[in-house]
Each structure stands twice: as C-alpha cells, then as structure tokens.
Amino acid sequence: MLCRYDCGSPEHQITRRSLLAGLAGGAMGTFGISRFAVPAVAEELKSAQKRVLIIFLAGGSSQLETWDPKPNTDTGGPFRAIPTSVPGVHISELLPYSAKQMHRMAIVRGINTAEDDHGQGAYIMETGRRPDNVTRFPALGSVMSKFVGPADSPLPGYIHIQPGGAGYNKQDSAFLGPKFASVSLGDGNPPPNVVRPESLTESADRMRNMLRQRANERFAARRRTAETEAYSYSYEQALQLMERREVFDVSKESPQDLERYGTHDFGRHCLLARRLLENGVTCVKVTHSNYDTHWENFDFHIEQLGEFDRPFASLIGDLADRGLLDSTLVVVMAEFGRTPRINAGLGRDHWSRAWSVALAGCGIQHGAVVGKTNPNGTQVTDREVHGGHLFHTYFRALGLDSKQKYHVGGQPVPVADQTVGPIEELLA
Amino acid sequence: MSSTQMPQMLSTNFTIDPAQTRLAAEFKHSRPLFSCRFDPTGRFVFAGAQDNLVQRWDLATGQRTELAGHDSWVRGLAFLPGGGCLYSGDYAGRLACWPYAVESPQPMRTHEAHQGWLRSISVCPDGQLIATAGNDNMVRLWSTADGKLVRELAGHNCHVYNAAFDPTGRHLVSADLKGVVKHWDVATSTLVRTLDAAVLWKYDNSFRADIGGIRGMSFSADGRWLACAGITDVTNAFAGVGKPVIVVFDWLTGRAKPPLRPQQDFQGASWGVVYHPTGVVIGVGGGGGGGAMWFWRPDEPQSFFTFKLPAVARDLDLHPDGKRVAVAQFDGVLRVYDISPKPAA
C-alpha cells in the first residue's frame, strides 16, 4: 500500500510546490534506479568530479555563420571568416571572442543527423539515438548526472537554464529515473520557494520539520518502501538546497564579471552556469533562444550571436583560468544546422545533412577540427558523423566506457549506439 | 531605397500610368540581386547582389561590366550629382568610390567606413558630402572632395538602416531598426528632432529578437514628405510573417499620415520606396506571396495599383526620365519597367 503524500494541509501546499515536486521525484528516482542494477560507476572519477556544460542554440544555429564559414560562395552569406587562436582555423566573423578561445576548443564540421524536425533533431543530439516508438533514451545531462555526479550532492545533478518557465523535466532522464531529470530555472531565476515564507518563523519551521521527521520514522518503522524513503529524502534535499540558495544568485558575482558577461539574459545565464558548475552541479545546460531563422537569417544571427559570443568565450576562459575546464566537457549544439541555400526572405531553413558542433574542455583535443564539408557547405566530404558518434565521444572524453550497458527491466541496453564509435581524432 | 538620393530628372514630362506598367528590359546575373540604382545620366543601371561585386549594365546595349573591390554584399549605391562618381557600400563596412562610366572601373578610394554592415549611402544635393549609415549604430558624413571623415552623428542605439539628405541638403534623416527616425541639422550636426516610425519594428518575445528596420526611405521632390518602408503587424519574426507598409511623414510637422498599405492582402515586407515627381509613391517588396510593386496616390492609404513581380524585390530606383523603374529581384534579374502611358497605336 502506497502512502498518500499530500494531506491537503496548508503546510503541504507550501512545501509541495514545483521545485519540491521535482526533488521529490528525483529522490524517488534514487531508489527507483536500483531496479535497473546500475553498471559500475567509474571509480576514478570520484577523486575529481567531472562536469558537463551544454550550450543549446535553440531553433538551429547556422553552421555557416558560426563554425564552418564559406565566404564569397553562393551559399556563404555576407559575413567573412576570421582567423582564430589556432593557426589555419577560421570561423565566422560573428564570433570574434570565441575565435580567441579556439585553442581550448574543437569543431566537428561533418555532422549529418538526417533529421530536419526540431523535436526529433533535439532528441538525436541530446540522446545520441534516433527516435523510435519503443525506447526513450535519457538525455546527455541526465546520463552524466548519473555517471559522474556525486551521490550526495545537495544540488540537482542536471540544471537547465532556459528562457521562459521553470519546471522539472522527468522525460530527460527516461528510464534512469526522476533523480536524474533536469530542473529548469526559468529565465535564470532561482527555483521557487527556496526562501522560507516570512509568515513561518525559523523555530516554527524547525518544529514542523521535527514533527514531519518523527511521523516519517514512525510510518517507516511499519511500512518502509522505496517510495517512502524517496519522499523523506526529497524533503532533506530541499532543506539543503534552501540553505544553499545563494548558489542561484548571480548578483553575488562581481560587477566586473556582470559587465563582462553582459546584462542580457544569455550573459546572465552563462554567469549562472559558471556559478553552478563551481558549486558542484554535474551538468548545466544553457539554452539560448532563438536561431530558427527562416527569414533574415543574417540580421538575426548578428543579434543572437552578438549575445552569444562574448559570454560564451568568457565562460570558456573563466573555466580554464579557474582550473575547471580540464574537468568540464563543453558542447555547443543545436537541433540541426541551416540550409546552405539562402531563401527569398534572406533566410536559411532547416538543414541536418552537413553542419557543425563545437566542443571544449575535458578530454577534448584542443584546436582540433574534425570533418569537412564541400566548398559551398551542402555535403559532408570527410569524416561524416551523427549524434551516435558524438555520444560515444562524450563518454570517452569524460573517461567513461561508452560500450557499457544499462540494465532496464533486466535487459541490457547499450549506453550509446553500438553501431558506431567515438570520434577518436577529437579525443585528447 | 537603401541609398537615398534625390532623382535628378532628365525630363519634365512625368506623366505615368501604373496600370500600363510593362517590362522594358531584363538584365541577368548569377546571384540574387540586392540593390539597384540608375546613374544620373540615365545610361547605366547598377546592382549589388549576394556576392562581392557590383554589376553595371548599359541600358542601350545590355553590356554587362563587373566592378570588383568589395568584401561583402553591396547594399548601398549612390552617385555624385551630374555623374562621374559612384559610391558603393558593403556589409563588411567598406565604402568605395568609382569612376563608374569608364570601360573597366576600379575603385579610386576605399574606406573602412563602419564596423559591420554599411547599409546606406546618401549624397548631398550639392555634392559636397555623402552620408553613410551602418550596424555600428553610427551615421557618418564624408567629404566627397578628399574622402575624409567630416563628422560622426551618434545617437541611434541599434543598427541604422538608412540615411537621406532632404532636397535642400540642409537636413539629414537617419532611420534605424526600431523605427527611430532622427532629423539632423547638417551644418551643425545637431539633432533637431526624432520622428516615430516604431510601427515598423517589433521585439518578438517568442523568438527573443528584433524584427523591423526602415528598409527604404525617400523624400518627395518638393521635400514636403518623407516615406519610410518596412514591415509591420508581425506575427512570426523568424518566418517573416507580417505586412508591408510605408510610413509617410509630413516633414513640416513631423506627423505621420495614415500608413500606406497594399490594397490586396500581402504577406512580407517592403524593401524599397521612391517618390515619383508626380507625387505617386512607388514601393516594392516581397514575401510569402512573391514579389510586388505597389503604387499609391498622395493622399490615399491604400494602393491604387499592384504590379505582380516574378520574384521578391529587394530594391528599386526611378530612371531620370521619370518613366522607368528598375527593380532588383531575388531571381538574379534586374528588371526595368516602363510606367509611362503606352503610345497610341
């Protein structure tokens, strides 16, 4: 018999708001995952926590205006290519700050994901699998939260900073269970309800928690289940999170950093990402919106990349300066790229057959450029890869075995698409 | 018009009949066209395209000559009064000056005039100054005598799409992405007033980006009216779902007249506008519905005639004879249309 968690009391209504609901779900996952007989976690990772930073350029950024410029061709658009800190490697002039960080980065220019739908393209890039109707695979952030995240972190393992609303995204973790799902910070704001309501005194709150703990213990003595344990754990984690709420407060950063990252949302979100990574969050995803430029692609890329470039480059530089880049895998991805053909509205449409991803940090060969497209960018001509190759590469870059398996319902399920392997040239 | 100048008319018979608009000539290029301008003598028509070249066609013979010297697409084209010199500006920020009528023109002078796109060039009617506008939010005045920078006009807080001298040359207007139109006194470089064309701009909260911009600008021949072209009623910025519109200001009062709209429903943007000496406003544009050229009478907010174009139009210019209009189109063809009444049979 399962507990009915919500008694309907005002107290419960306070504590069961969105974040806590997420944390409760997360805690349930802690125990739920035991059903899957988790494969061996890489012991060597425990000594130095590894992290993942995903920058997701929502809508599909143009590879021609970012990492694979083709100036003065029929598809190239009006922008020039500029040299980077890696001799011989050029990127779009829209990324002057990123160009100075190229010696810490790598580019994959031969991506062909063969999927031009936003949702499915995102799924491929985030899970390394093509969508099917049988199994939903967990997203990269959830996977790495599970494999390299510390077990006792008071903070969620996977935090998604995004424009718009906050929430808890259990679909991200799929069969890994809700503990590894992402918690979204809408518009970069802290999770709701991390501050004790003014109407509740500290002593009353303490008394209330003691009462809850005693009731839990009494109940658990008779009917201890994974679900009741998860329920109790969620409260403990929430309390720890409330004590560390300043982790989410970007205003604590220096005025110089706030200026360097920019006052716009993406700048603030990148600074928050740095703060979260420094405080031990395993995976942070920052979504920058929006690049779905079917019309006036060039004007919009000036505007969007004008926001992206400096804070992104600042983040890479800061992670390096603070000694975190070597243990943080950075991936700049989107659902797909954009058509080399420029349409009548000066836009570019969806294009998954030849596009690029940028990486940096942990396990990545600095300055590497892997893959090549033809002169006007319509086809991959060398080292064609897809989301599966990238997923293997992420595992390997973080020091994990990409051939290991989950055990879902007693069945072995490879962590990555076993028909392909990592991009070895990209690995340090 | 991306590069605004007052038409220097060769004719005094300006009778037109837009309903009889007909194709007079076609000039083909391999890339989509981006801008166009007749030279003041009426012998040539020039076009910028989605490449780094300027095309020159001799209207009488159709002979094509390529002008090479830019690093990006050329949107700004303007001439010194009386001819002799063409100014062109590209999306790398480069301004070039050409002896345009010689057999193989080479740039006489180039300047890195703007950081980022140079979007517009306008020549003062006395030929002493040119104004350029660009994505560094600046308007700059240059001496045509020695090519030197004369003054910088700062004040826009976003990309400046257009600049235009009024017919007296004493006033300059500049207009930006957000529909802010600034009126400058040329002699003192001071801001006189700001006009509001914000109807031509929107911040799309879904896509978190700005859409808009005054894509074309033209004074009437008597300097009484200023027309600004663009897009309005945007419902989806990244698909360009909106309506073409022309905002006309009374230059004396600064008040806007009711906006000029196509009579038939049309989705897209207006990319260019020019005042005909008769007072008729001619606009071009395109979008989901293809390309079109619209004609408005001076005091009627709805167009009285629409001429469907084979492809989206990015720019237009009026020939000095007042009878022909050049239109730069996405299919790489510069088409010249005759808008005069057909001769009696």
Side-chain angles (χ1 to χ4, degrees):
Chain A
M1 180 180 169
L2 296 175
C3 292
R4 180 172 179 270
Y5 292 137
D6 186 355
C7 67
S9 67
E11 288 78 10
H12 261 154
Q13 287 175 6
I14 290 172
T15 53
R16 283 179 55 80
R17 291 178 190 166
S18 60
L19 172 69
L20 211 52
L23 292 171
M28 287 169 64
T30 305
F31 302 94
I33 191 63
S34 62
R35 297 171 190 164
F36 301 131
V38 184
V41 175
E43 289 297 321
E44 67 274 19
L45 294 175
K46 289 181 178 175
S47 58
Q49 187 197 344
K50 304 215 172 170
R51 303 167 187 81
V52 178
L53 169 65
I54 302 167
I55 307 289
F56 194 83
L57 305 182
S61 55
S62 168
Q63 67 283 2
L64 296 151
E65 275 67 63
T66 53
W67 314 115
D68 193 11
K70 305 287 183 183
N72 204 14
T73 65
D74 60 332
T75 58
F79 301 114
R80 294 167 293 181
I82 56 172
T84 68
S85 57
V86 177
V89 175
H90 290 68
I91 62 175
S92 169
E93 65 173 320
L94 296 179
L95 300 172
Y97 288 96
S98 301
K100 293 176 183 169
Q101 296 293 336
M102 192 52 64
H103 60 288
R104 294 174 168 141
M105 299 173 60
I107 301 173
V108 183
R109 284 178 171 160
I111 296 177
N112 180 358
T113 40
E115 177 54 68
D116 291 336
D117 174 81
H118 284 289
Q120 306 219 6
Y123 181 85
I124 289 171
M125 291 305 295
E126 296 219 54
T127 67
R129 310 281 185 146
R130 296 200 70 80
D132 62 44
N133 294 324
V134 179
T135 306
R136 182 177 181 91
F137 282 88
L140 174 62
S142 297
V143 171
M144 292 311 164
S145 173
K146 167 180 159 50
F147 280 106
V148 303
D152 54 352
S153 174
L155 297 172
Y158 179 16
I159 292 181
H160 181 193
I161 307 167
Q162 64 175 5
Y168 164 73
N169 313 295
K170 66 179 181 182
Q171 73 278 6
D172 283 345
S173 56
F175 52 72
L176 296 181
K179 178 180 180 183
F180 302 106
S182 64
V183 173
S184 295
L185 306 183
D187 288 327
N189 293 316
N193 308 311
V194 290
V195 178
R196 176 169 43 78
E198 287 183 8
S199 59
L200 185 65
T201 65
E202 189 175 349
S203 61
D205 191 28
R206 192 166 51 247
M207 294 291 287
R208 191 179 66 147
N209 275 316
M210 287 174 59
L211 177 63
R212 176 182 56 77
Q213 285 166 350
R214 287 182 185 176
N216 283 349
E217 287 165 5
R218 184 178 173 188
F219 187 89
R222 293 179 292 119
R223 297 176 180 173
R224 190 181 195 96
T225 67
E227 284 76 12
T228 58
E229 289 290 314
Y231 183 64
S232 300
Y233 176 76
S234 72
Y235 279 86
E236 301 309 319
Q237 191 178 35
L239 286 172
Q240 294 178 59
L241 183 61
M242 290 172 75
E243 289 171 4
R244 300 198 63 191
R245 59 183 175 273
E246 287 195 352
V247 167
F248 301 96
D249 188 355
V250 174
S251 69
K252 301 292 182 189
E253 299 293 338
S254 71
Q256 292 80 7
D257 279 355
L258 290 168
E259 189 280 328
R260 217 159 36 92
Y261 278 73
T263 54
H264 48 75
D265 286 349
F266 184 69
R268 198 164 47 84
H269 295 174
C270 282
L271 195 50
L272 177 57
R274 189 188 78 181
R275 197 170 168 83
L276 294 172
L277 291 167
E278 285 179 320
N279 279 279
V281 175
T282 302
C283 182
V284 178
K285 176 182 174 185
V286 182
T287 290
H288 189 215
S289 183
N290 191 287
Y291 291 83
D292 196 15
T293 51
H294 294 279
W295 201 65
E296 301 211 318
N297 170 78
F298 308 106
D299 293 82
F300 286 130
H301 271 76
I302 289 175
E303 185 164 354
Q304 306 296 38
L305 293 174
E307 284 189 357
F308 165 84
D309 184 39
R310 192 176 178 197
F312 168 71
S314 297
L315 185 50
I316 295 293
D318 287 355
L319 291 175
D321 293 345
R322 294 165 188 229
L324 291 172
L325 191 60
D326 286 345
S327 58
T328 305
L329 172 66
V330 181
V331 186
V332 183
M333 65 163 76
E335 304 98 302
F336 36 62
R338 305 212 73 83
T339 49
R341 179 183 179 272
I342 299 163
N343 67 29
L346 292 169
R348 296 190 192 271
D349 302 308
H350 303 176
W351 187 255
S352 58
R353 295 179 194 176
W355 61 290
S356 306
V357 160
L359 301 101
C362 183
I364 296 299
Q365 182 73 47
H366 296 173
V369 176
V370 178
K372 191 175 177 184
T373 52
N374 63 359
N376 61 1
T378 57
Q379 290 183 321
V380 176
T381 55
D382 179 49
R383 193 61 168 112
E384 182 172 293
V385 296
H386 57 62
H389 298 89
L390 288 167
F391 221 73
H392 277 279
T393 307
Y394 305 147
F395 265 78
R396 286 282 301 278
L398 289 163
L400 299 168
D401 177 7
S402 67
K403 293 183 179 174
Q404 63 185 303
K405 294 179 172 62
Y406 305 110
H407 292 272
V408 182
Q411 296 297 314
V413 177
V415 296
D417 179 354
Q418 295 298 288
T419 64
V420 297
I423 307 167
E424 297 284 357
E425 313 93 288
L426 204 57
L427 295 168
Chain B
M1 298 165 70
S2 59
S3 304
T4 317
Q5 59 185 33
M6 296 308 302
Q8 297 156 56
M9 311 311 293
L10 297 178
S11 168
T12 55
N13 176 15
F14 298 125
T15 306
I16 59 173
D17 185 353
Q20 296 192 45
T21 297
R22 57 211 178 269
L23 184 66
E26 284 187 319
F27 303 103
K28 295 182 181 176
H29 182 45
S30 57
R31 300 278 181 89
L33 299 182
F34 202 47
S35 55
C36 65
R37 202 64 76 236
F38 289 109
D39 84 294
T41 70
R43 178 185 170 191
F44 298 110
V45 63
F46 290 79
Q50 288 179 197
D51 56 23
N52 299 352
L53 302 169
V54 175
Q55 303 297 316
R56 182 187 74 182
W57 286 285
D58 186 311
L59 288 170
T61 66
Q63 184 181 9
R64 181 168 71 99
T65 305
E66 289 187 344
L67 283 63
H70 279 289
D71 253 1
S72 184
W73 299 358
V74 173
R75 175 71 176 161
L77 294 169
F79 296 89
L80 279 183
C85 185
L86 162 69
Y87 288 93
S88 57
D90 69 28
Y91 275 6
R94 180 173 298 168
L95 174 67
C97 176
W98 311 77
Y100 70 80
V102 302
E103 184 175 352
S104 298
Q106 299 295 319
M108 292 188 298
R109 270 197 301 264
T110 62
H111 300 282
E112 304 309 314
H114 288 267
Q115 289 283 323
W117 294 5
L118 192 168
R119 288 180 179 263
S120 172
I121 306 172
S122 181
V123 178
C124 192
D126 68 6
Q128 301 294 308
L129 294 171
I130 65 168
T132 60
N135 274 9
D136 52 6
N137 304 353
M138 298 298 294
V139 178
R140 294 192 172 91
L141 297 176
W142 308 82
S143 164
T144 57
D146 57 14
K148 290 185 176 169
L149 179 66
V150 176
R151 278 185 292 276
E152 288 188 325
L153 306 180
H156 288 282
N157 64 10
C158 57
H159 299 167
V160 189
Y161 273 54
N162 254 296
F165 286 98
D166 85 324
T168 71
R170 296 197 299 271
H171 307 283
L172 177 76
V173 291
S174 54
D176 67 25
L177 167 66
K178 297 183 178 178
V180 175
V181 180
K182 291 186 179 291
H183 170 187
W184 308 88
D185 181 280
V186 173
T188 63
S189 297
T190 53
L191 181 66
V192 178
R193 58 181 170 167
T194 299
L195 309 180
D196 180 7
V199 67
L200 299 175
W201 165 73
K202 176 183 178 179
Y203 181 78
D204 189 314
N205 284 310
S206 297
F207 291 105
R208 301 198 172 218
D210 296 287
I211 178 173
I214 293 176
R215 293 140 194 270
M217 196 155 67
S218 177
F219 273 103
S220 62
D222 60 5
R224 176 70 195 280
W225 307 102
L226 172 67
C228 300
I231 186 169
T232 193
D233 297 340
V234 173
T235 56
N236 181 330
F238 282 6
V241 180
K243 305 291 183 187
V245 71
I246 310 285
V247 174
V248 176
F249 290 101
D250 181 326
W251 186 241
L252 292 176
T253 66
R255 283 197 289 270
K257 299 198 325 183
L260 310 185
R261 295 172 181 267
Q263 188 172 37
Q264 295 82 19
D265 187 44
F266 191 94
Q267 183 234 300
S270 177
W271 277 88
V273 62
V274 63
Y275 259 102
H276 190 270
T278 58
V280 168
V281 176
I282 308 171
V284 294
M293 178 159 55
W294 304 282
F295 296 85
W296 288 270
R297 294 191 182 93
D299 290 313
E300 297 177 5
Q302 284 202 327
S303 60
F304 67 91
F305 182 70
T306 298
F307 185 82
K308 185 167 173 51
L309 299 170
V312 168
R314 264 82 173 273
D315 198 11
L316 85 166
D317 194 28
L318 186 64
H319 190 274
D321 67 10
K323 298 175 182 175
R324 286 175 284 177
V325 175
V327 184
Q329 299 184 40
F330 170 70
D331 61 0
V333 180
L334 186 136
R335 294 182 175 85
V336 178
Y337 296 97
D338 192 331
I339 57 173
S340 68
K342 289 180 182 175

